[in-house]
Amino acid sequence: MLQYARPLQRLLNAFERLPGIGPKNAQRLAFHLLRVEEGEVQELAAALSEVRAAIRPCRRCFNYSEGDLCPICADPRRDPAAICAVEEASDVMAIERSGEYHGLYHVLGGRLSPLSGVGHDELNLDSLLARVREGGVRELILATSPTVEGDATALEIARLVEAMVESGEVTTAPRVTRIALGLPVGGDLDYADGLTLARALRGRTPVGET
Amino acid sequence: MLQYARPLQRLLNAFERLPGIGPKNAQRLAFHLLRVEEGEVQELAAALSEVRAAIRPCRRCFNYSEGDLCPICADPRRDPAAICAVEEASDVMAIERSGEYHGLYHVLGGRLSPLSGVGHDELNLDSLLARVREGGVRELILATSPTVEGDATALEIARLVEAMVESGEVTTAPRVTRIALGLPVGGDLDYADGLTLARALRGRTPVGET
């Protein structure tokens, strides 16, 4: 019903396809871009044009990368004896934001989901096992999502590593850990769901230990 | 601190410059675009590249336009005897969404603001007066914002039109009206500020009239 100039409508349509951007928001963005310096618009357009061609999976950990190795794998200050397995590259950044972890990562590319046809071969599992097999890995942190499928994926990885250790394929067995589940910091006990509370209780630690 | 691949960081920076897009949102958008079909990303990039070159002000009403006349001015079904003056082109779309108005528009390009150096000549005022002078305008609706400056702009336009009528420059005097101020539909009386309530009371209409 609304009559926009065609190039404006095209931009609105493209914005509205983005997650979390409704018609109102798309219009706000488009009108903003019609007002600002033209260079700013062209910079966004260029960044978009470039990103898909310029970004590829890191050869080692499958994180988003410009070169052969992602910035984290290429950083000599990171501890190569720790690997944190996550589902998606965006999870890498979530953990980086915590500032708590200084090891390397391994992006699985999803989680095991037999119902959706995601099995062992659909994930970057063999490459993870190969990294463990190479040796030098002291700890493997399983940071898949706290869901049924994420838990199953973590259990499967733990099982595979254990099998490798038992068969003697890897000499030094890495410690395999799972990120803790519990109450979010600042969260209200009253608002926590029963499952979260149950995990928080089960994972209780002696006072003063964490 | 976070180590993103450079092309990804470039896209994040460009997104974060947009209004209402914080770092978290920028990341969500960027990661989305890294996952979707490449064509979708290129379509957004192309729409952005095109929009600034392809959009220009409508020759008649200064609304965003692709051709000489905007879609509204070019639509023969619109009533040319009504002109609604608004501050920005985005206001045109806000009024269009109401579905209440079927006349033409005039985008002023802002509102009078002596403190910011916006005077008569900075706005599309002479072109509005010229449209009135041409004749055939039955009503001029002043839909500038309900602020001190918006009110002052409306008053000034009303004064200029009145002067034109008095000097005989225009034969048929248009009705000059101001959009109503009052409580928003669905709003709670309890939450309305005093000024809005005062305007709502002052603008009261007989029951059954609107």
Side-chain angles (χ1 to χ4, degrees):
Chain A
M1 202 51 242
L2 295 192
Q3 302 178 69
Y4 290 101
R6 203 193 45 80
L8 181 55
Q9 187 63 60
R10 180 185 182 191
L11 182 59
L12 290 170
N13 293 344
F15 271 138
E16 283 180 37
R17 247 176 267 128
L18 298 177
I21 308 271
K24 205 85 188 258
N25 237 317
Q27 203 188 296
R28 185 180 176 202
L29 291 173
F31 284 145
H32 169 81
L33 290 170
L34 283 170
R35 270 194 307 266
V36 297
E37 243 190 282
E38 163 118 40
E40 196 175 309
V41 187
Q42 295 308 340
E43 167 57 21
L44 177 56
L48 283 163
S49 286
E50 180 201 50
V51 77
R52 285 296 283 262
I55 292 280
R56 51 175 160 167
C58 168
R59 175 173 53 84
R60 191 198 279 163
C61 78
F62 299 91
N63 183 18
Y64 291 131
S65 178
E66 185 181 11
D68 202 33
L69 286 180
C70 76
I72 295 172
C73 282
D75 186 345
R77 289 165 304 178
R78 309 289 302 213
D79 177 10
I83 296 178
C84 177
V86 293
E87 292 178 8
E88 304 293 346
S90 49
D91 299 333
V92 169
M93 288 307 148
I95 294 179
E96 284 296 288
R97 265 196 302 276
S98 76
E100 188 65 32
Y101 181 68
H102 306 287
L104 303 180
Y105 290 91
H106 197 84
V107 177
L108 298 170
R111 52 197 180 205
L112 292 173
S113 174
L115 290 175
S116 317
V118 180
H120 183 111
D121 293 339
E122 276 68 48
L123 301 182
N124 302 319
L125 277 179
D126 287 335
S127 49
L128 174 60
L129 299 177
R131 287 175 73 182
V132 173
R133 200 177 291 119
E134 269 173 31
V137 179
R138 208 173 47 241
E139 180 167 5
L140 173 61
I141 303 171
L142 304 172
T144 50
S145 59
T147 60
V148 173
E149 293 177 345
D151 284 343
T153 308
L155 279 174
E156 173 66 4
I157 295 173
R159 198 188 62 74
L160 289 166
V161 172
E162 204 187 340
M164 272 170 49
V165 172
E166 279 177 6
S167 72
E169 274 186 87
V170 47
T171 43
T172 51
R175 214 178 133 215
V176 180
T177 59
R178 179 93 173 96
I179 45 161
L181 297 173
L183 291 173
V185 175
D188 195 320
L189 213 90
D190 229 22
Y191 289 106
D193 62 292
L195 272 176
T196 300
L197 263 180
R199 302 296 287 252
L201 282 168
R202 227 183 297 156
R204 65 190 180 279
T205 49
V207 175
E209 202 163 85
T210 52
Chain B
M1 201 55 239
L2 295 191
Q3 302 176 69
Y4 290 100
R6 203 194 46 80
L8 182 54
Q9 187 64 60
R10 181 186 180 192
L11 181 59
L12 290 170
N13 292 345
F15 271 137
E16 283 181 35
R17 246 176 267 128
L18 297 177
I21 308 270
K24 204 82 185 262
N25 236 318
Q27 203 188 293
R28 185 178 174 204
L29 292 174
F31 285 147
H32 169 81
L33 291 170
L34 283 169
R35 270 194 308 265
V36 297
E37 244 190 281
E38 163 117 40
E40 195 174 312
V41 187
Q42 294 308 342
E43 168 57 21
L44 177 56
L48 283 163
S49 288
E50 180 201 52
V51 78
R52 284 297 284 261
I55 291 280
R56 50 175 161 165
C58 169
R59 175 173 53 82
R60 190 197 280 163
C61 79
F62 299 91
N63 183 18
Y64 292 131
S65 180
E66 184 181 10
D68 201 32
L69 286 178
C70 77
I72 294 172
C73 282
D75 187 343
R77 289 164 304 178
R78 309 290 304 213
D79 177 9
I83 296 178
C84 178
V86 294
E87 294 178 7
E88 304 291 348
S90 50
D91 299 333
V92 169
M93 287 306 148
I95 294 179
E96 284 296 289
R97 265 196 302 277
S98 77
E100 189 64 33
Y101 180 67
H102 306 288
L104 303 180
Y105 290 92
H106 196 85
V107 177
L108 299 170
R111 51 196 180 208
L112 293 173
S113 175
L115 290 174
S116 318
V118 180
H120 183 111
D121 294 340
E122 276 68 48
L123 301 182
N124 302 319
L125 277 180
D126 287 336
S127 49
L128 174 60
L129 299 177
R131 288 176 71 182
V132 173
R133 200 177 292 120
E134 269 174 30
V137 179
R138 207 173 48 240
E139 181 167 5
L140 173 60
I141 303 172
L142 303 172
T144 50
S145 59
T147 60
V148 173
E149 292 177 346
D151 284 341
T153 308
L155 279 174
E156 173 67 3
I157 294 173
R159 198 188 62 73
L160 289 166
V161 172
E162 204 188 339
M164 272 170 48
V165 172
E166 279 177 7
S167 72
E169 272 186 87
V170 48
T171 43
T172 51
R175 214 178 133 213
V176 180
T177 57
R178 180 95 173 94
I179 45 162
L181 299 172
L183 291 173
V185 174
D188 195 321
L189 213 91
D190 228 23
Y191 288 106
D193 62 293
L195 272 176
T196 299
L197 262 181
R199 302 296 290 251
L201 281 169
R202 227 183 296 157
R204 65 191 180 278
T205 49
V207 175
E209 202 163 87
T210 52

